[in-house]
Amino acid sequence: MKRSHWKPECSSPKRYAFLVTQAQKWIIRRARTSDIRAIAALIEPLVEARVLLGKDLVVLYEAVQEFTVAATPSGDVVGCGALHVFWENLGEIRTLAVSPDHLGEGIGTALVGALEQQARELGLDTLFCLTFEVEFFRRNGFHLQDDQIVDPEIYVELVRSPDEGVAEFLDLARVKPNTLGNSRLVKDLG
């Protein structure tokens, strides 16, 4: 299988899109508010299958700046992923999804690459994800992590977050530990 490559379309770090060289079937770019309903439709089957945690439409709109999408030249969203910052050096890749019609085209890998670049630009040096797709993330440089990856003093700060994803990451009692039964994977960006 031919692996896709992505590269910045413009040099501005605040506004960019990624072109994919695989016959330019799609581009990787930051999400827009007009993409949110398509993102919701893309992740809905995965929420129903209990692969992803569900998010209300209002939550997706509030988090639009966290999302990156893969879109066809005509603008159809065929993949998405989000980068959620937890702490000064720690972020999570969330809500990574690819349309079943476009699996195997390298979209997931391109999205992870774009999210990693964004993480580095923000100064993060560690990314994690909670996922069933262990082999996919291993191929992208992540490894299984069973113990806590934050120091106790940072844990005390993170526990104050109202975000359910943070609560699940910390295994707090207010959420069932690892609600979906997925694996925690981590990648050092250093």
Side-chain angles (χ1 to χ4, degrees):
M1 176 168 60
K2 182 179 174 185
R3 190 175 284 274
S4 300
H5 303 282
W6 51 271
K7 62 182 179 179
E9 187 179 71
C10 64
S11 60
S12 171
K14 294 184 181 184
R15 291 178 44 109
Y16 58 89
F18 294 92
L19 287 178
V20 178
T21 60
Q22 186 183 29
Q24 298 181 348
K25 291 181 183 178
W26 36 265
I27 60 167
I28 302 294
R29 61 168 173 75
R30 298 299 296 261
R32 303 174 185 135
T33 56
S34 59
D35 297 323
I36 294 300
R37 290 187 187 276
I39 290 170
L42 184 65
I43 66 175
E44 183 179 346
L46 298 172
V47 171
E48 289 173 2
R50 296 190 38 80
V51 172
L52 291 178
L53 292 174
K55 292 180 173 56
D56 291 326
L57 203 54
V58 68
V59 173
L60 292 173
Y61 277 111
E62 290 173 344
V64 67
Q65 69 279 2
E66 294 183 358
F67 277 90
T68 296
V69 297
T72 64
S74 64
D76 295 330
V77 174
V78 296
C80 66
L83 173 63
H84 183 77
V85 175
F86 270 40
W87 200 248
E88 66 185 318
N89 65 339
L90 178 64
E92 177 187 17
I93 291 181
R94 315 180 148 173
T95 322
L96 186 68
V98 175
S99 166
D101 296 337
H102 293 273
L103 291 174
E105 294 180 12
I107 293 171
T109 296
L111 285 165
V112 169
L115 295 169
E116 286 180 13
Q117 179 178 335
Q118 292 169 29
R120 285 184 178 97
E121 289 171 2
L122 289 169
L124 304 180
D125 57 27
T126 304
L127 283 178
F128 80 94
C129 62
L130 298 172
T131 185
F132 290 106
E133 298 295 334
V134 173
E135 290 310 311
F136 168 81
F137 279 97
R138 280 186 171 163
R139 285 192 309 269
N140 284 281
F142 287 74
H143 64 277
L144 284 171
Q145 180 80 26
D146 291 327
D147 55 348
Q148 288 291 355
I149 61 172
V150 296
D151 295 328
E153 57 275 2
I154 295 172
Y155 179 94
V156 170
E157 294 294 328
L158 288 176
V159 78
R160 298 177 189 185
S161 173
D163 184 280
E164 290 300 313
V166 175
E168 187 168 359
F169 169 74
L170 296 175
D171 292 329
L172 299 181
R174 67 184 165 110
V175 295
K176 294 177 188 169
N178 203 355
T179 305
L180 299 174
N182 48 22
S183 299
R184 180 185 318 211
L185 285 93
V186 176
K187 183 173 185 176
D188 179 10
L189 298 177

